[in-house]
Amino acid sequence: MTAQDALNRSYEIRTYGCQMNVHDSERLSGLLEDAGYVRAPEGADGDADVVVFNTCAVRENADNKLYGNLGRLAPMKTRRPGMQIAVGGCLAQKDRDTIVRRAPWVDVVFGTHNIGKLPVLLERSRIEGEAQVEIAESLEAFPSTLPTRRESAYAAWVSISVGCNNTCTFCIVPALRGKEKDRRPGDILAEIEALVDEGVSEITLLGQNVNAYGSDIGDREAFSKLLRACGKIEGLERVRFTSPHPRDFTDDVIAAMAETPNVMPQLHMPMQSGSDTVLKAMRRSYRQERFLGIIDKVRAAIPHAAISTDIIVGFPGETEEDFQQTMHAVREARFAQAFTFQYSKRPGTPAATMEGQVPKEVVQERYMRLSALQEEISWAENKTQVGRTVDVMVAEGEGRKDGATHRLSGRAPDSRLVHFTKPDTEVRPGDVVTVEITYAAPHHLLAEGSAVAVRRTRSGDAWEKRNTAAAAKPAGVMLGLPGIGAPAPEPAAAGGCGCD
């Protein structure tokens, strides 16, 4: 479709799952806008000319959720001639023709390897009057080569690899995303430098198994070298990454984190279980002692690091003794935060057919015990922050009650969420406010006194320029900005696709 053909046709993208999908949706938005579409107003709820579902296959009921949403759109499509519906992402890669069979009103189905084809497939479906299903078996072009509509003016995802070489028994992602493929370091750094030139001051390096970066290009220290290279980019204030695998967490990575000033004192590293028996059944290539040893090394090198994790409760065969090993590991690690999940079958994974499936009521009871323990630890760890002075990068959308409390919100360097008293001077998302922490809750910190300092930044300038431009555009173009750092899952593991 030419830009003229698509002019004034609106689009809406609904994203499910991990950060990879969030970033893919930025690419999809860029592709559609490059083809002439405009973004539908927030809250359009299907009232757009093109509705795209970017799906996740991690959850057991992912398909039921998709078909329920598609069912609600069917009568709207009947009432609106010319409306199109597209389904992409991991579930599309897995189910292929099943989607059109169960929801024949869908116009386009595309996979994880060919997101760049969406505008062409929409146009082909419109002309031919029938559904277009195109699933590539391997990556056609690295996503970084595609147009991108970044959701934030001051923080950005940067993909350094796609795919995964692991064979975790609970994860279907390698079958859907393929084997790991790394980008060239020069291409990654060029993208980061271009983002910084546009006003971005925080980047998050993304990969299904981010610290395995280099395995595809034959350099086992490539990831630590990349972190150090990021430290040399002028104007880049914050560097984060997600999600690393304990197997590949080597001493050179820890040294690079500690010695590179703009690499933030934050680590999200999925543990999944504290039981060696369960880890073996999961095909995780480390054991509890190795995991806790990495945590000790990180804390020795970066004393104020905030460490978070993912944990699965109730994996097939998990006994009470196994669960107690997870509780022990959590007590030892003292995570700032843990994303805990009740095991659910992922169709197509070895774990789905394993013997010893744990009864749901047992899983629920263990999940509640683990959540209570982690809540206690998170609160205790946050209390250690009281009295500290921290630089908070102001975000938009992080504090839902900010309007009522006359506060602003943002992230500290270690990614803890901080709500703080609104300064007398103007503060924009992307600016940095220095505050003293006065109160700690399990999931956030408060700074109730006056700001110690306010620093206007190039990122704040970029946010202001972008929003001024948005206000001048015709209705129908929305430039909403999420908070800095990892977007809230819906719900999914905090790292990768829940497989790291």
Side-chain angles (χ1 to χ4, degrees), residues 57-63 94 171-172 344-350 352:
V58 166
R59 293 286 170 189
E60 182 179 14
N61 63 349
D63 54 346
K94 181 172 78 74
C171 183
I172 198 170
S344 62
K345 294 180 181 179
R346 276 80 161 176
T349 64

Side-chain angles (χ1 to χ4, degrees), residues 83-132:
M83 179 182 178
Q84 292 182 293
I85 300 172
V87 179
C90 289
L91 192 64
Q93 186 79 22
K94 181 172 78 74
D95 284 358
R96 305 173 184 242
D97 296 322
T98 304
I99 293 173
V100 174
R101 187 175 71 248
R102 291 184 59 177
W105 54 92
V106 169
D107 300 279
V108 170
V109 179
F110 62 101
T112 59
H113 298 308
N114 64 332
I115 64 175
K117 289 288 187 68
L118 177 59
V120 172
L121 293 173
L122 287 169
E123 172 66 354
R124 192 185 300 165
S125 176
R126 188 178 68 84
I127 293 173
E128 298 181 6
E130 61 182 23
Q132 301 295 310

Side-chain angles (χ1 to χ4, degrees), residues 260-272:
T260 309
N262 63 358
V263 175
M264 294 294 95
Q266 173 213 357
L267 173 63
H268 180 84
M269 187 167 63
M271 180 176 73
Q272 305 300 11

Side-chain angles (χ1 to χ4, degrees), residues 78-386:
T78 301
R79 294 193 300 267
R80 294 190 58 189
M83 179 182 178
Q84 292 182 293
I85 300 172
V87 179
C90 289
L91 192 64
Q93 186 79 22
K94 181 172 78 74
D95 284 358
R96 305 173 184 242
D97 296 322
T98 304
I99 293 173
V100 174
R101 187 175 71 248
R102 291 184 59 177
W105 54 92
V106 169
D107 300 279
V108 170
V109 179
F110 62 101
T112 59
H113 298 308
N114 64 332
I115 64 175
K117 289 288 187 68
L118 177 59
V120 172
L121 293 173
L122 287 169
E123 172 66 354
R124 192 185 300 165
S125 176
R126 188 178 68 84
I127 293 173
E128 298 181 6
E130 61 182 23
Q132 301 295 310
V133 179
E134 188 168 311
I135 305 293
E137 295 301 327
S138 59
L139 193 66
E140 292 186 347
F142 206 92
S144 60
T145 63
L146 302 175
T148 305
R149 182 191 187 281
R150 302 271 179 183
E151 289 299 317
S152 172
Y154 48 89
W157 307 109
V158 176
S159 182
I160 69 171
S161 64
V162 294
C164 180
N165 295 335
N166 293 321
T167 57
C168 301
T169 55
F170 57 81
C171 183
I172 198 170
V173 170
L176 304 179
R177 292 275 183 176
K179 292 292 185 181
E180 181 177 326
K181 185 174 180 59
D182 296 335
R183 289 177 69 188
R184 293 175 59 237
D187 292 340
I188 297 169
L189 294 171
E191 180 180 354
I192 295 172
E193 288 170 350
L195 288 167
V196 172
D197 286 344
E198 294 170 8
V200 168
S201 58
E202 176 178 316
I203 60 105
T204 301
L205 303 175
L206 265 187
Q208 236 84 44
N209 181 9
V210 70
N211 60 325
Y213 177 74
S215 62
D216 183 48
I217 56 179
D219 183 355
R220 63 172 298 278
E221 294 189 352
F223 186 63
S224 61
K225 292 175 183 176
L226 182 62
L227 291 178
R228 292 183 185 277
C230 287
K232 298 177 182 177
I233 297 177
E234 187 176 352
L236 180 59
E237 297 190 15
R238 297 186 173 191
V239 177
R240 306 185 191 277
F241 57 89
T242 193
S243 282
H245 193 294
R247 182 195 66 188
D248 302 297
F249 213 92
T250 49
D251 290 349
D252 60 299
V253 173
I254 297 173
M257 291 177 65
E259 295 166 10
T260 309
N262 63 358
V263 175
M264 294 294 95
Q266 173 213 357
L267 173 63
H268 180 84
M269 187 167 63
M271 180 176 73
Q272 305 300 11
S273 175
S275 163
D276 289 355
T277 301
V278 173
L279 288 170
K280 183 177 180 180
M282 288 178 168
R283 285 191 204 147
R284 304 289 284 180
S285 54
Y286 56 89
R287 299 296 178 259
Q288 183 191 113
E289 184 178 4
R290 158 75 172 151
F291 185 92
L292 294 178
I294 295 171
I295 299 296
D296 288 342
K297 286 182 178 181
V298 170
R299 289 215 166 101
I302 314 167
H304 293 299
I307 301 173
S308 57
T309 196
D310 297 334
I311 301 173
I312 297 172
V313 178
F315 188 80
E318 182 188 76
T319 64
E320 176 63 23
E321 183 180 352
D322 292 324
F323 176 68
Q324 287 300 328
Q325 284 298 307
T326 294
M327 297 283 276
H328 169 74
V330 168
R331 292 187 187 98
E332 291 294 308
R334 300 199 63 80
F335 299 112
Q337 188 176 17
F339 296 84
T340 56
F341 303 92
Q342 298 183 44
Y343 172 76
S344 62
K345 294 180 181 179
R346 276 80 161 176
T349 64
T353 56
M354 282 182 175
E355 295 182 358
Q357 299 287 327
V358 182
K360 183 172 179 58
E361 61 272 16
V362 176
V363 178
Q364 173 70 18
E365 191 272 337
R366 289 176 184 169
Y367 172 81
M368 296 301 292
R369 276 191 280 160
L370 177 59
S371 296
L373 172 62
Q374 182 55 51
E375 185 91 349
E376 177 185 321
I377 293 171
S378 293
W379 198 356
E381 290 298 304
N382 274 0
K383 286 177 180 177
T384 67
Q385 303 298 304
V386 174

Side-chain angles (χ1 to χ4, degrees), residues 422-436:
K422 190 175 182 178
D424 294 333
T425 56
E426 180 190 14
V427 178
R428 308 156 302 176
D431 287 340
V432 175
V433 179
T434 304
V435 299
E436 182 180 333

